[in-house]
Amino acid sequence: MLEDHRKKSAHTVRCKVLTVSDTRNEDTDKSGKLIKDLLTGEGHVVEHYEIVPDENLIIKRAVQSGLQDPDIDAVLINGGTGFSKRDVTIEAVQTLFEKEIVGFGELFRYLSFTEDIGSAAILSRAAAGTAGETVIFAMPGSTGAVKLAMRKLILPEIGHIVSEINK
């Protein structure tokens, strides 16, 4: 049954990659580069890539520009998902969700606990949701977290999610 759904899923997803950081630039953004490489390696298209500071309104505007672009199916965000005062990605994007994909955050934290960082996984506020016909993923900014989220959760399901929200 699941294989039938995946066969009908979008094969190419058009994406916006957004890095939230006060310190990274295109040369030092290893996580943004990893997301782009993993997406294109699976046949998806990176239509836009942007680095923005960890500021609520700027993050929200950057995500909204992806939501308003008919050529974007998914916005993938890395960074700003922790507990420091500067970490406001979740506050910025949750207000945009029409439907939250609760399982993404739950599974990400579980996998982080079992496969990566142990009990420090409770510090992650990774989240995902849909807005209109676009899916939004917000993951931590470390390359380990990005690799885990992309390989175990996002890449296997991104086409399926896009197909579902466009029914």
Side-chain angles (χ1 to χ4, degrees):
M1 183 83 171
L2 181 58
E3 282 304 312
D4 290 341
H5 284 294
R6 287 196 176 136
K7 285 179 187 171
K8 295 176 188 172
S9 296
H11 293 285
T12 300
V13 176
R14 301 163 301 170
C15 303
K16 176 174 184 169
V17 175
L18 182 63
T19 295
V20 176
S21 175
D22 292 327
T23 58
R24 294 183 186 168
N25 59 45
E26 284 194 41
D27 293 331
T28 61
D29 183 18
K30 292 179 186 172
S31 293
K33 181 180 180 342
L34 179 59
I35 294 168
K36 293 187 298 182
D37 289 347
L38 290 170
L39 285 168
T40 57
E42 291 291 319
H44 303 298
V45 177
V46 177
E47 296 283 352
H48 301 286
Y49 164 69
E50 189 176 353
I51 301 172
V52 298
D54 214 330
E55 307 239 351
N56 191 311
L57 189 56
I58 295 171
I59 297 166
K60 188 177 282 190
R61 284 183 181 154
V63 174
Q64 285 173 322
S65 77
L67 298 177
Q68 293 166 358
D69 186 336
D71 293 330
I72 300 295
D73 302 309
V75 178
L76 291 87
I77 308 161
N78 77 95
T81 63
F83 281 96
S84 80
K85 289 178 182 167
R86 295 290 300 153
D87 291 328
V88 296
T89 296
I90 301 306
E91 288 75 15
V93 300
Q94 276 186 327
T95 61
L96 302 173
F97 293 166
E98 291 172 14
K99 294 185 180 185
E100 187 171 2
I101 305 172
V102 179
F104 173 76
E106 293 169 345
L107 284 171
F108 176 79
R109 284 180 284 282
Y110 170 77
L111 291 169
S112 293
F113 175 76
T114 59
E115 297 185 19
D116 193 18
I117 58 174
S119 61
I122 67 170
L123 298 172
S124 172
R125 297 186 305 140
T130 64
E133 296 178 343
T134 307
V135 62
I136 304 164
F137 293 100
M139 61 193 117
S142 75
T143 54
V146 164
K147 191 179 299 181
L148 181 73
M150 291 294 293
R151 289 187 176 157
K152 296 282 186 159
L153 300 171
I154 296 172
L155 290 173
E157 295 301 330
I158 194 169
H160 186 192
I161 294 168
V162 168
S163 292
E164 286 295 309
I165 60 178
N166 282 284
K167 278 186 174 179

